[in-house]
Amino acid sequence: MHLFPAHPGRPLDIVLGIQWGDEGKGRVVDLLARDYDIVARFGGGDNAGHSIEVGDTKIALRIVPSGALVPHTRLFIGGGTVVSLEALAAEFDRVASAGVDLDRIAISDRAQIVFPYHVTLDRLGEKQRGSGAIGTTGRGIGPAYVDRVARMGVTFGDLARPEAVAQKIRAALLARAPVLAAADEVPREEEIIARTLELAGRIRPHVVDGVAYLHDAMRAGKRILAEGAQGTMLDVTYGSYPYVTSSATIAGGACTGLGVGPRAVGNVIGIAKAYCTRVGAGPFPSELHDEIGARIQELGHEFGVNTGRARRCGWFDAVATRYAAELNGLSHLILTKLDILTGFERVGVVTAYRRPDGSLAGMEAFGEAGITPEVTWYPGWSESIREVREISELPGNARHYIEEISRLVGVPLGLLSVGPERSAFATPFPAIYVP
Ligand code: IMP
Ligand code: MG
């Protein structure tokens, strides 16, 4: 039985994070992937860090889709991504040593290459922003997207023409020279070209016509799972701008990032943690600056897979999540890490923002200076829930908490994660809430 049954004629399902990233997408995609033929990344690059644990094997993926440990799936890196050749080659080595057959991996000819000078530009940009720094992952993601929009990027398709690659790198470096001159180490053009062409030999066999690849598969009746990176609140347009990443992380980004029209989309599944975290700077109304926040951080191991940075922690923000549900047109909600909240006397959900004048507001006040969260409290539970496999078996208070979240967000709950193991998911039978 499929966890999320296919809609006839709609081969593409989307699964994405609806907070600030790190919602546990890797584990969820690993679980869902068994029902699909292709798992496809549609945006971002190695700023993402998706970790999967299967028995003793633990892998951290940055670019390769999180279906890696489900052997029958093909893994596709879509045209909307920006990918460092160096990082991709290193990830190929890591996943191959975990037993992944690299022949399963394909990358779209439309995807953009992240070069070392993008990393330099990312760091220089952050330095220049000073106290207004975004807290980027420092992987060159923003500058690589800038180059695409500025029409001076290099695509994976270009790797077939070494002369064109060299010429485009030279042009990009020339255009950026005034800024790059401020770097401690100015990028060496010929070195970058030589290394790019060297890595190209290894990557090129995986480069495909990304549009034909997916559309041929859909015509052949294959099911595709589009895997989001980062989260809705980091979307370049609709997130907490300018404290965002540089790509479209919402469901619409799956269509543009894969070259697939919206009529192909069936389920749109949003993943949220049972509380909230954020890495990097920017507004976070439900943030806890007290010992409760510190406790969630410790119990939830809230430290970045990618950069090792401590994540800011707070209560579940039902205002921002309801906004995310609208932006994505969610059909289902998946809640993760509910087990981390076990043992708290009471758990909070932010249901409104209070302005300095005392009035209550919704999403329109998000990011305004001086707002404070309006917290609705729910009684906690002390029983371990890690062995729960059906939501009906949850302690009453835990069940009430997730029912309230589903109601407040306005999306039915499709699945609940109650622990770190591959099997630690509870299914919602009977269905607990249908808006
Ligand atoms: P960038 O994507 O490296 O440009 O970083 C922009 C913002 O997005 C920063 O606040 C990062 O911390 C955040 N970010 C980027 N990727 C991830 C992710 O995979 N998880 C969580 N936050 C992320
Ligand atoms: Mg992550």
Side-chain angles (χ1 to χ4, degrees):
M1 192 192 67
H2 289 177
L3 280 165
F4 295 94
H7 294 247
R10 295 174 176 268
L12 181 75
D13 286 352
I14 302 172
V15 59
L16 37 70
I18 57 171
Q19 294 161 324
W20 280 273
D22 305 315
E23 296 92 350
K25 291 180 290 292
R27 281 187 64 235
V28 170
V29 171
D30 171 60
L31 176 79
L32 301 189
R34 58 194 72 181
D35 295 339
Y36 296 84
D37 302 289
I38 298 176
V39 183
R41 269 281 299 270
F42 61 82
D46 71 336
N47 49 347
H50 296 165
S51 53
I52 308 172
E53 229 177 297
V54 179
D56 294 335
T57 321
K58 190 172 180 174
I59 56 170
L61 301 166
R62 287 172 180 166
I63 301 153
V64 172
S66 302
L69 297 183
V70 181
H72 78 265
T73 59
R74 284 193 281 155
L75 308 168
F76 179 64
I77 302 163
T81 62
V82 292
V83 177
S84 144
L85 297 177
E86 210 72 68
L88 188 60
E91 191 152 313
F92 276 7
D93 290 340
R94 277 188 288 120
V95 300
S97 66
V100 175
D101 176 2
L102 296 183
D103 289 344
R104 292 166 55 208
I105 304 174
I107 180 159
S108 172
D109 54 348
R110 272 77 160 188
Q112 293 273 327
I113 299 174
V114 178
F115 290 102
Y117 51 85
H118 292 124
V119 174
T120 309
L121 289 166
D122 195 353
R123 302 215 166 119
L124 286 171
E126 283 288 87
K127 215 164 126 189
Q128 203 168 46
R129 287 182 202 105
S131 63
I134 294 164
T136 71
T137 59
R139 302 297 159 107
I141 303 300
Y145 277 115
V146 168
D147 274 7
R148 178 167 80 175
V149 179
R151 293 159 294 192
M152 55 166 77
V154 183
T155 66
F156 278 76
D158 288 333
L159 292 178
R161 297 173 297 279
E163 252 329 295
V165 170
Q167 181 256 322
K168 287 183 181 196
I169 291 175
R170 287 192 190 103
L173 279 171
L174 189 65
R176 301 288 181 240
V179 181
L180 286 169
D184 298 334
E185 211 174 314
V186 180
R188 279 189 280 267
E189 187 173 282
E190 294 314 312
E191 225 169 77
I192 292 173
I193 293 170
R195 181 66 181 150
T196 299
L197 298 179
E198 185 186 333
L199 288 164
R202 170 132 194 236
I203 304 299
R204 265 190 60 194
H206 298 272
V207 179
V208 296
D209 174 339
V211 174
Y213 180 92
L214 280 188
H215 286 269
D216 287 349
M218 290 193 291
R219 262 191 298 277
K222 304 295 183 196
R223 265 191 104 185
I224 298 157
L225 182 63
E227 172 187 10
Q230 292 80 48
T232 295
M233 295 306 290
L234 291 170
D235 181 85
V236 66
T237 310
Y238 298 99
S240 50
Y241 191 86
Y243 298 96
V244 294
T245 190
S246 296
S247 63
T249 60
I250 60 175
C255 290
T256 54
L258 295 175
V260 173
R263 289 201 302 149
V265 180
N267 300 300
V268 183
I269 303 158
I271 310 176
K273 269 198 281 226
Y275 49 94
C276 266
T277 64
R278 168 161 212 175
V279 255
F284 181 10
S286 74
E287 183 167 15
L288 289 161
H289 298 280
D290 56 8
E291 64 284 358
I292 294 179
R295 189 164 147 207
I296 292 175
Q297 186 182 73
E298 191 198 323
L299 293 173
H301 308 289
E302 296 298 347
F303 298 90
V305 171
N306 197 329
T307 57
R309 292 183 290 176
R311 299 179 184 141
R312 303 154 66 191
C313 296
W315 294 126
F316 189 90
D317 185 337
V319 182
T321 318
R322 192 179 177 88
Y323 168 75
E326 276 179 354
L327 287 174
N328 292 302
L330 296 186
S331 60
H332 301 84
L333 179 67
I334 295 182
L335 274 181
T336 61
K337 290 186 129 175
L338 183 67
D339 55 309
I340 303 305
L341 296 182
T342 298
F344 285 81
E345 200 180 313
R346 56 180 195 169
V347 285
V349 172
V350 173
T351 45
Y353 306 135
R354 192 176 288 279
R355 289 194 162 116
D357 67 2
S359 63
L360 289 177
M363 200 58 200
E364 68 280 9
F366 182 95
E368 276 181 14
I371 59 160
T372 50
E374 183 69 9
V375 180
T376 302
W377 296 102
Y378 298 94
W381 58 93
S382 54
E383 306 91 323
S384 169
I385 60 168
R386 286 196 159 185
E387 306 302 322
V388 168
R389 294 296 175 267
E390 269 197 31
I391 282 170
S392 58
E393 300 161 7
L394 283 174
N397 287 348
R399 180 166 169 168
H400 179 62
Y401 177 70
I402 60 171
E403 283 173 354
E404 282 293 287
I405 286 182
S406 172
R407 186 182 64 78
L408 289 164
V409 176
V411 180
L413 192 67
L415 203 63
L416 176 73
S417 141
V418 292
E421 307 83 33
R422 200 182 206 187
S423 59
F425 284 95
T427 48
F429 302 118
I432 61 160
Y433 168 69
V434 181

